[in-house]
Amino acid sequence: MTFSYLLLILAVFCIAAFLIGKGRARTMASTSTLSSLPSHYGSMLALWTCLPPLLLMLIWGLVDDPVIDSLVTANLPAAVVEHGSTAVQLAISKVHNLANGADLQDDPTLAPAVLHLVELQARNQLISSGVIIALALAGFALTLGRLVPQRNARNEVEGIIKGLLFASSGIAVLTTIGILSSVLFEAWQFFGKVNVFDFLFGTVWSPQVALRADQSGSSGSFGAIPLFTGTLLISVIAMAIAVPIGLMAAIYLSEYATPRIRNYAKPALEILAGIPTVVYGFFAALTVAPILRDAGAGIGLDVSSESAMAAGLVMGVMIIPFVSSLSDDVINSVPQSLRDGSYGLGATRSETIRQVVLPAALPGIVGAVMLAVSRAIGETMIVAMAAGLAANLTANPLESVTTVTVQIVTLLVGDQEFDSPKTLAAFALGLVLFLVTLCLNFVALKVVQKYREQYD
Amino acid sequence: MSIIENHKTDGQPFSENPKLKARDVRVFYGEKQAIFDVSLDIGANEVIALIGPSGCGKSTFLRCLNRMNDTIDICRIEGEILLDDENIYAPKMDVVPLRARVGMVFQKPNPFPKSIYDNVAYGPRIHGLVHHRDELDEVVEKSLQRAGLWNEVKDRLHAPGTGLSGGQQQRLCIARTIAVDPEVILMDEPCSALDPIATAKIEELIDELRENYTIAIVTHSMQQAARVSQRTAYFHLGQLIEVNPTDLVFTTPEHTLTEAYITGRFG
């Protein structure tokens, strides 16, 4: 019996339990007063029937494979085990493939192991199905046996639902912790090979290391400062474009535009957000960068063909809808009564916007800008295509620079071994990126709170 | 009880010493007419109460008096409204100085998201009424004193205006309006969101303000109209039914509709 069949059976159980519980509650209602509605009794019975088996199924699914593998390992031929853990792993995966019907070269030494595995898997399925169905029936019987009018099914169901919702939010938190700890672990390994201070404050980024002893490669240099400045430079250019234009577009849309114009302009602006970043990337590399270079040449400036300026400009355009759309919503939610109050004192439209509407909308606008900053820091494709890969330490926007995200991509693309500083450096960069975004979010939250306390 | 077509207003809609004169004012929201040929004087230094059932057009009429209806796109106004014999709907009329002369206090207290001081200083600043910090301080203090709020807030002028209680916020809004030194103050149900004690304070304040300002107040409370106003205008379905001295309206109303309303038969 496979997993999906089991789910189907549980679903049928669930519906049946609901109907039986409801029916039983109706019968009880004719003789005594119920503390909840009949449907609450039905839901309670259904939840107690299906939830424990579902939970068990989840845990079972997580632990059964390792257990089976260890049982198979114990019965592997001694010849394999002698060759160490790598050989054992290889043998196990071979056994799995053979058991799944793969036509590998016949390996008679593994045949007993294959049979063993097939047998174990069959037994596992049988036992798990049996236990899970038994648990469902037990839950059903136990709850039904104690289904009495005094039992407050409403509160019980509410409690279970609260628990389910809590578990859902817990999954999001656990995932974050999981990702963070994996990044932390790999970054820790990296800092075992490269000094933390050399990484954070070094000014030369050249992550090439020799993979084999006979290769002629440098020892690699992991100073991340050029990457940080590159990220900062491009983000600043992007924000310098996106924040003023986005904010002013939002003000126009929410305060000045007639509904007709707004109905066309807002979706049109939001289309910008729907363009894939790779399209922005080649727009930046093939259209904007040459224009900048030619313009620079015209006035005697030396503009690199891959420049921070090109990437930053295009990224700024990409971010405009984030700022404008969110700010527009926030500005619209400022109560009309505040505007009326200002107009009633004889203020003009722009005075009202500057002195009343924008201060009231500030928390939301800060939130929008912070989201845009995170977006700018995390953006990879445009930079990879338009700003280049050269880790120059420069504040000149006309030179080519590179960013943290682009370097993470280049470090991990292709065949890599996962214990060299070169690949591990990606995790250290990821960690720094994570911390920076975390700090930004924290600051944004504080700013928003400060103004909210003041203005609500 | 049906409305007579082209009803002529009963009582005394005109005043000997008018500050504001409305003549044949008609207001339309899109296709729908909200006000039908209203003619009414608002005398200098008087408090006139506009009463009537919900949706009778009294707030709409009030908002015509300083062109607040301009902010509503579909709203169209015909007829004349004269402030000191000058038509405020004339094409060359600038609404910015007009609204400085005819201030407005709204139903819900709407302090700006600024400090108490900046709320009051807002009007004088945007109209360039003051040139020095000292002058501004003086205007703020005087306005808050006139609004009866000074003693309660003098120690926390730089705290946010939104942190005050509802009654204090409404008095702050009145102080904000006074600060630009208007000639007329329009009040749109200024007490409907307030408790009885705060209401009593505002009513007392209205009585004091009458010395210097002309006040038109829309109210749902007939007791309030009786307490604060000298004249009362009764609106019904967009028509001005009756205008008379307040004590007359509440003792011997001329029109059957007015009588029906004040005796609580509808509204």
Side-chain angles (χ1 to χ4, degrees), chain A residues 258-259 335-349 351-356 359-360 453-456, chain B residues 63 66 68 71 73 95-96 99-100 102-104 106 108 110-114 119 122-123 126-127 160 162 176-177 180:
Chain A
T258 60
Q336 182 63 31
S337 69
L338 280 183
R339 294 188 186 90
D340 281 349
S342 178
Y343 293 140
L345 288 169
T348 63
R349 225 172 208 184
E351 281 166 344
T352 303
I353 291 163
R354 258 185 295 125
Q355 306 201 28
V356 176
E453 274 164 22
Q454 230 171 334
Y455 293 143
D456 267 0
Chain B
R63 288 168 63 96
N66 71 344
M68 276 307 282
T71 57
D73 289 331
V95 294
V96 167
R99 288 182 187 147
V102 184
M104 189 150 192
F106 296 84
K108 231 182 107 217
N110 54 353
F112 300 138
K114 297 167 178 293
N119 259 283
Y122 182 76
I126 58 174
H127 291 296
T162 44
R176 189 173 76 185
T177 309
V180 279

Side-chain angles (χ1 to χ4, degrees), chain B residues 13 20-21 23 32 48 54 73 91 93 95 102 115 122 127-128 139-140 148 172 185 192 197 217 235-236 247:
Chain B
L20 269 166
K21 290 196 280 192
R23 291 294 177 267
K32 192 178 164 292
I48 185 166
S54 295
D73 289 331
M93 189 68 184
V95 294
V102 184
S115 70
Y122 182 76
H127 291 296
V139 169
V140 169
L172 177 64
I185 300 177
S192 65
I197 295 170
I217 177 170
F235 283 76
H236 191 96
D247 43 356

Side-chain angles (χ1 to χ4, degrees), chain B:
Chain B
M1 250 173 288
S2 64
I3 295 272
I4 319 123
E5 289 282 323
N6 297 322
H7 169 81
K8 280 274 166 262
T9 305
D10 285 349
Q12 310 154 19
F14 305 117
S15 155
E16 284 172 12
N17 179 20
K19 180 77 189 168
L20 269 166
K21 290 196 280 192
R23 291 294 177 267
D24 301 319
V25 172
R26 295 175 295 276
V27 181
F28 303 84
Y29 287 116
E31 294 296 300
K32 192 178 164 292
Q33 189 166 5
I35 303 266
F36 297 84
D37 300 289
V38 168
S39 295
L40 174 68
D41 281 357
I42 298 174
N45 294 72
E46 78 167 351
V47 177
I48 185 166
L50 312 181
I51 63 170
S54 295
C56 68
K58 53 192 190 303
S59 288
T60 300
F61 177 73
L62 190 79
R63 288 168 63 96
C64 290
L65 299 178
N66 71 344
R67 293 186 57 172
M68 276 307 282
N69 284 331
D70 287 14
T71 57
I72 302 168
D73 289 331
I74 56 165
C75 188
R76 186 161 54 82
I77 292 143
E78 291 172 5
E80 280 188 331
I81 293 174
L82 306 156
L83 174 64
D84 289 335
D85 293 322
E86 189 186 359
N87 187 4
I88 65 170
Y89 283 95
K92 65 175 168 53
M93 189 68 184
D94 185 356
V95 294
V96 167
L98 168 70
R99 288 182 187 147
R101 289 172 68 192
V102 184
M104 189 150 192
V105 176
F106 296 84
Q107 182 170 0
K108 231 182 107 217
N110 54 353
F112 300 138
K114 297 167 178 293
S115 70
I116 294 170
Y117 183 95
D118 287 334
N119 259 283
V120 183
Y122 182 76
R125 274 185 185 142
I126 58 174
H127 291 296
L129 300 179
V130 288
H131 304 289
H132 301 291
R133 181 85 196 178
D134 300 347
E135 269 181 274
L136 190 59
D137 287 347
E138 200 180 310
V139 169
V140 169
E141 181 177 344
K142 213 174 72 187
S143 305
L144 284 169
Q145 264 169 351
R146 279 220 191 132
L149 193 61
W150 176 250
N151 287 330
E152 290 160 61
V153 301
K154 63 182 175 197
D155 302 322
R156 47 177 174 142
L157 286 177
H158 295 284
T162 44
L164 297 172
S165 74
Q168 289 174 325
Q169 287 190 7
Q170 194 62 300
R171 277 180 283 151
L172 177 64
C173 292
I174 294 175
R176 189 173 76 185
T177 309
I178 297 171
V180 279
D181 204 21
E183 296 154 37
V184 183
I185 300 177
L186 309 174
M187 298 187 172
D188 190 359
E189 297 178 39
C191 300
S192 65
L194 304 182
D195 66 62
I197 295 170
T199 303
K201 278 193 178 155
I202 304 268
E203 287 178 4
E204 219 173 282
L205 175 61
I206 291 171
D207 214 38
E208 287 166 19
L209 293 175
R210 186 161 66 90
E211 283 180 29
N212 300 304
Y213 308 97
T214 299
I215 296 171
I217 177 170
V218 165
T219 176
H220 265 133
S221 152
M222 282 174 276
Q223 289 87 341
Q224 184 168 59
R227 282 192 298 261
V228 302
S229 69
Q230 283 77 54
R231 286 203 306 155
T232 297
Y234 174 69
F235 283 76
H236 191 96
L237 294 177
Q239 299 198 337
L240 180 55
I241 302 296
E242 172 174 353
V243 188
N244 262 321
T246 299
D247 43 356
L248 275 183
V249 170
F250 286 103
T251 50
T252 52
E254 267 180 53
H255 199 284
T256 49
L257 281 171
T258 320
E259 190 188 352
Y261 180 69
I262 61 168
T263 52
R265 264 188 274 154
F266 59 82

Side-chain angles (χ1 to χ4, degrees), chain A residues 112-132:
Chain A
V114 172
L115 283 178
H116 189 213
L117 176 73
V118 171
E119 191 204 327
L120 280 176
Q121 277 177 339
R123 209 188 287 167
N124 173 46
Q125 246 174 27
L126 201 65
I127 295 174
S128 68
S129 310
V131 169
I132 285 165

